[in-house]
Amino acid sequence: MDNKFLLLYSFENLEGMMERGYKWYQTEEELVEDIEDMKEYIKDFTVNDAIEILQLREIETKCKI
């Protein structure tokens, strides 16, 4: 797993509507740097969650899409 830090965020778009997004990062330093940058140029930028993924495993499902 290359990217193990997940950022969930929200912000106000140009039409005044709230939008949500997510980004993956390889290091905590990249995550922190990007948060600082986004706080400077995105109106009402809010960090909803910043998560470090410590373990990954495959989950089998029986439903088909």
Side-chain angles (χ1 to χ4, degrees):
M1 182 167 144
D2 291 339
N3 297 318
K4 63 182 220 173
F5 292 90
L6 175 62
L7 173 64
L8 305 173
Y9 61 90
S10 58
F11 62 94
E12 185 177 323
N13 68 19
L14 296 175
E15 290 82 33
M17 305 283 289
M18 289 303 291
E19 288 194 31
R20 292 177 178 82
Y22 67 91
K23 282 184 157 184
W24 286 97
Y25 302 90
Q26 292 181 351
T27 67
E28 185 174 353
E29 291 77 21
E30 290 174 336
L31 178 140
V32 171
E33 183 178 306
D34 204 27
I35 288 172
E36 290 172 358
D37 288 345
M38 288 190 283
K39 281 184 175 182
E40 286 185 29
Y41 68 85
I42 297 177
K43 182 178 180 179
D44 293 328
F45 177 81
T46 303
V47 173
N48 299 110
D49 275 310
I51 303 165
E52 180 179 10
I53 308 299
L54 300 174
Q55 185 178 20
L56 173 71
R57 65 183 175 93
E58 294 293 323
I59 298 175
E60 289 187 35
T61 62
K62 294 183 180 184
C63 58
K64 295 182 181 183
I65 299 175

